[in-house]
Amino acid sequence: MPRAALGGSGLDAAPAEIVPLPKVRFSDPDPWGQISYENALSARRAISYLLDRPLAELSQEDRAFIGDLVGRTLNKAEIEAAIKQRFRREQ
């Protein structure tokens, strides 16, 4: 390998042409994640995680509420808000 290649002397490099990149706005508020759960089972799993307990330990009324909620929507934000409102914890 020639010494000039390592030292950089004698190289006539053309200046780089700067090309502006196009700006693209995402219509999705979370472009790398998902706004909705894939299915009812994954929504119930997430609800169980939010409550930090198995859904089988809940009362019949609470399980019916969760069933209606998951049947109505799979939107993560809506489900989280409804669960937090229904199962408000004193911290």
Side-chain angles (χ1 to χ4, degrees):
M1 186 177 282
R3 178 171 256 173
L6 297 174
S9 63
L11 293 177
D12 294 330
E17 182 180 334
I18 299 175
V19 178
L21 296 176
K23 294 180 181 179
V24 178
R25 291 191 172 239
F26 292 106
S27 60
D28 185 351
D30 185 8
W32 292 280
Q34 295 178 341
I35 303 173
S36 298
Y37 293 106
E38 297 170 356
N39 52 40
L41 181 61
S42 62
R44 289 175 186 267
R45 189 177 299 127
I47 292 169
S48 175
Y49 181 78
L50 279 173
L51 297 175
D52 197 27
R53 62 191 302 192
L55 298 183
E57 292 180 358
L58 299 177
S59 68
Q60 181 64 30
E61 295 84 22
D62 290 339
R63 288 194 309 260
F65 169 77
I66 291 171
D68 291 340
L69 178 64
V70 170
R72 186 170 17 111
T73 183
L74 292 177
N75 184 290
K76 289 182 178 183
E78 290 179 32
I79 288 177
E80 185 175 347
I83 292 298
K84 285 183 177 180
Q85 182 179 357
R86 170 85 181 209
F87 299 98
R88 223 175 253 158
R89 294 185 191 176
E90 298 299 323
Q91 295 180 0

